[in-house]
């Protein structure tokens, strides 16, 4: 995306504020026009004063008064118009920054888990904050400086040629020099700054990754190693940034040199033209003011180019994320069936993460409403993947999954996920209050409903012991709670949601034996009239399952009740004997 297209995209992101944007653009045109008048009037006033001093002509005095009044009028208009433009440009830029930031955040949340699995959250945060800041700066700069600067240059050069083409040639040469300088700087620094931005992303990812694993860092005494690693990234960033800064330092020197040389040339050549009768003193003054205006506009343009080079990689990253289309989207004809009955059918379902090695293959089973289906097998056998397909974290490459006879893609994503409650193996909690985390299951839940769900999940005791009860914060990722407390809270959240389909992915893995027994007893009641899928490595927890599916290498190799499978003497029986023998040995 080149600079022109990138800048056009920035302006298109004004969205609903475009009408105000056009109004500000027209105000900039008026403001630029008024600014042209001032140096011309100033030159005419100088010529009028010269004539009055020469012959005391009353007619010229009247002209002088008119010129002074016009100059004051244009000056007052520039002040008022400039103030209004600045005021509304500020408000417009701030409003749109917040709106685009929210849109970006919503868009990222809708991207599939596969995208988030390969993209660091620290990078996404950095792209969001820096991208919206860059948009804000571009919008503000456009309405405050850039547009009026471009208009001024487009009008000022032809106007100066009309007034005195000899002096105007100096301004043309000055503008050409600035244009060549801008092109040179873009060519030299654009790719350099893109490399710098990659180092900024590495820095954000590294810092976020370290802070997110602070317990690991401290317990393994890795503080010095992590600081050293971050310092190394910062040094590479600085090494990449220095050449860019050097080029822009050179641009500053050349800009100041060009300014000084141009003013000096106007004075010298203007004096010579005046002695030859080819220019008046007023025209010299006018062109000196023109030169100051051109220099100011060109410096603004160089500043704009500098800003574009600096922000372009950030904006490209921002738009790249914003343009990423979610692979899982509602179809135009998708439906919301309301509360599901709970029948789930897998038909020849296959899925692969990388397109080569199947994670699950040819899954075929049906869960009737109210049944408890247990999925067992070694780690990596495909248990979690199969249930991730059920709540559409991914879509299968072949086969179909139906709820109540309706294929999942025919259901609205929101409707599907409202009908499914999930208790993950990795406990996921917001850094908010206990009540806020429970409200994720049911936003309008009353405290009584939360207490009931917490009690059924054996979580009420530790909640009541907390200093602020349900308003107590749980810390980042729930770190202020123990592993068992986090898991019980997530179970309470799923129970509060009261879905017709429940997924328990190693839901009791973080609980001690006593608490696990209590939670399982509570879940027995909760699972009535609810289709429940349980992933468990400890086979003692699935004795009451209606049916057990034994997974191996992504396939179902055995299916039946606990007693049926144990009596069959196959893979499940071998796994059960190994676990129970180990447990008996541990008990002895």
């Amino acid at each position: 995306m080149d600079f022109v297209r990138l800048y056009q995209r920035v302006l298109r992101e004004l969205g609903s504020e475009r009408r105000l944007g056009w109004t500000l653009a027209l105000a900039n045109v008026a403001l630029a026009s008024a600014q042209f008048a001032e140096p011309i009037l100033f030159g005419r006033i100088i010529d009028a004063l010269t004539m009055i001093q020469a012959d005391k002509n009353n007619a010229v005095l009247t002209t002088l008064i008119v010129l002074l009044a016009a100059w004051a009028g244009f000056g007052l208009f520039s002040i008022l118009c400039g103030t209004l433009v600045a005021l509304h440009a500020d408000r417009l830029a701030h409003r749109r920054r917040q709106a685009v930031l929210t849109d970006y955040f919503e868009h990222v949340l809708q991207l599939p888990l596969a995208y988030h699995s390969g993209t660091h959250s620290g990078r996404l945060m950095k792209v969001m904050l820096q991208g919206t800041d860059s948009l804000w700066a571009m919008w503000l700069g456009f309405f405050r400086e850039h547009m009026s600067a471009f208009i001024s240059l487009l009008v000022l050069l032809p106007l100066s040629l009309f007034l005195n083409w000899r002096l105007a040639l100096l301004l043309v040469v000055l503008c050409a020099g600035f244009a060549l300088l801008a092109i040179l700087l873009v060519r030299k620094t654009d790719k350099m700054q893109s490399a710098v931005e990659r180092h900024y992303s590495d820095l954000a990812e590294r810092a976020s990754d370290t802070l997110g694993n602070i317990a690991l860092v401290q317990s393994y005494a890795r503080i010095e190693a992590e600081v050293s690693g971050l310092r190394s990234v910062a040094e590479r960033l600085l090494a990449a940034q220095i050449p860019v800064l050097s080029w822009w330092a050179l641009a500053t020197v050349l800009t100041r040199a060009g300014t000084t040389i141009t003013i000096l040339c106007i004075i010298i050549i203007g004096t010579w033209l005046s002695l030859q009768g080819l220019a008046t003193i007023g025209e010299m003054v006018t062109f000196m003011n023109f030169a100051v205006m051109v220099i100011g506009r060109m410096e603004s343009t160089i500043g704009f180019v500098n800003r574009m080079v600096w922000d372009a990689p950030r904006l490209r990253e921002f738009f790249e994320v914003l343009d990423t289309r979610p692979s899982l989207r509602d179809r135009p004809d998708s439906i919301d069936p309301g509360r599901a009955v709970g029948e789930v059918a897998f038909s020849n379902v296959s899925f692969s993460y990388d397109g080569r090695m199947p994670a699950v293959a040819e899954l075929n089973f049906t869960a009737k409403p109210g049944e408890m289906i247990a999925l067992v097998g070694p780690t990596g056998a495909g248990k979690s993947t199969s249930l991730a397909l059920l709540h559409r974290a991914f879509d299968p490459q072949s086969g179909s999954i139906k709820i109540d006879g309706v294929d999942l893609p025919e259901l609205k994503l929101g409707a599907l996920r409202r009908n499914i409650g999930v208790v993950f193996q990795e406990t996921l909690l917001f850094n908010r209050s206990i009540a806020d985390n429970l409200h994720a299951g049911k936003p309008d839940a009353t405290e009584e409903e939360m207490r009931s769900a917490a009690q059924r999940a054996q979580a009420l005791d530790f909640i009541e012991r907390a200093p602020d009860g349900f308003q107590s914060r749980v810390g980042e990722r729930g770190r202020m709670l123990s592993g068992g407390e986090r898991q019980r809270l997530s179970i309470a959240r799923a129970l509060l949601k009261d879905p017709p389909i429940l997924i328990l992915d190693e839901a009791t893995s973080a609980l001690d034996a006593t608490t696990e027994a209590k939670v399982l007893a509570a879940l027995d009641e909760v699972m009535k009239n609810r289709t429940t899928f349980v992933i468990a490595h400890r086979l003692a927890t699935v004795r009451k399952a209606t049916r057990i599916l034994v997974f191996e290498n992504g396939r179902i190799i055995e299916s039946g009740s606990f007693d049926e499978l144990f009596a069959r003497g196959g893979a499940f029986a071998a796994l059960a004997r190994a676990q129970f023998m180990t447990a008996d040995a541990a008990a002895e």
Side-chain angles (χ1 to χ4, degrees), residues 551-567:
F551 278 71
E552 186 176 288
N553 296 324
R555 298 176 182 273
I556 298 173
I557 60 172
E558 291 182 348
S559 175
S561 68
F562 190 100
D563 293 336
E564 289 171 350
L565 292 176
F566 194 82

Side-chain angles (χ1 to χ4, degrees), residues 370-526:
E371 287 189 336
M372 174 184 176
I373 307 297
L375 288 70
V376 303
T379 301
K383 305 183 297 298
S384 294
T385 299
S386 62
L387 295 186
L389 294 171
L390 175 57
H391 63 84
R392 287 198 77 190
F394 315 96
D395 273 341
Q397 275 93 25
S398 63
S400 67
I401 305 173
K402 296 182 178 180
I403 293 180
D404 298 343
V406 182
D407 205 358
L408 293 192
E410 297 178 15
L411 301 173
K412 291 185 181 296
L413 270 172
L416 168 67
R417 291 169 180 170
R418 279 193 296 272
N419 278 293
I420 299 176
V422 185
V423 179
F424 297 96
Q425 182 177 6
E426 178 189 0
T427 307
L428 304 175
L429 296 174
F430 294 115
N431 182 20
R432 301 169 194 170
S433 70
I434 291 173
D436 287 336
N437 277 281
L438 292 176
H439 280 141
K442 185 179 181 182
D444 60 347
T446 64
E447 184 169 344
E448 188 58 37
E449 288 174 320
M450 289 190 291
R451 290 181 66 85
S452 175
Q455 187 172 27
R456 291 156 70 191
Q458 305 296 314
L460 188 58
D461 55 344
F462 77 80
I463 293 175
E464 291 181 334
R465 288 198 306 268
D468 298 315
F470 282 93
Q471 299 307 314
S472 300
R473 296 183 71 87
V474 302
E476 186 177 5
R477 300 183 184 178
R479 286 181 181 146
M480 295 176 70
L481 304 177
S482 69
E485 289 171 343
R486 290 197 296 269
Q487 197 68 297
R488 281 180 278 169
L489 187 58
S490 65
I491 292 171
R493 180 173 58 197
L495 298 179
L496 193 62
K497 186 177 182 180
D498 189 28
I501 301 170
L502 184 64
I503 296 174
L504 305 176
D505 188 351
E506 287 288 345
T508 61
S509 61
L511 306 180
D512 57 77
T514 302
T515 305
E516 181 183 32
K518 293 179 180 179
V519 171
L520 289 175
L523 289 178
D524 284 342
E525 182 65 28
V526 173

Side-chain angles (χ1 to χ4, degrees), residues 257-309:
T259 300
T260 303
I261 292 171
T262 301
I263 294 294
L264 184 61
C265 287
I266 287 177
I267 293 173
I268 293 173
I269 295 175
T271 301
W272 181 80
L273 290 174
S274 179
L275 294 174
Q276 299 297 316
L278 299 175
T280 66
I281 295 175
E283 286 178 339
M284 283 181 59
V285 172
T286 295
F287 272 86
M288 288 183 67
N289 281 292
F290 275 174
V292 171
M293 286 183 66
V294 168
I295 290 164
R297 299 299 182 268
M298 293 306 297
E299 286 181 340
S300 175
T301 302
I302 292 294
F304 160 70
V305 173
N306 183 4
R307 184 79 199 190
M308 279 296 293
V309 169

Side-chain angles (χ1 to χ4, degrees), residues 7-48:
Y7 202 62
Q8 288 174 341
R9 176 68 185 273
V10 169
L11 295 179
R12 284 202 304 271
E13 291 298 325
L14 286 171
S16 59
E17 301 274 6
R18 286 183 183 177
R19 180 172 295 180
L20 176 58
W22 278 110
T23 303
L24 291 173
L26 293 174
N28 270 280
V29 173
L31 188 60
S33 301
Q35 290 172 343
F36 298 142
E38 292 187 29
I40 296 174
L41 289 171
F42 188 37
R44 295 288 187 270
I45 289 170
I46 295 297
D47 283 337

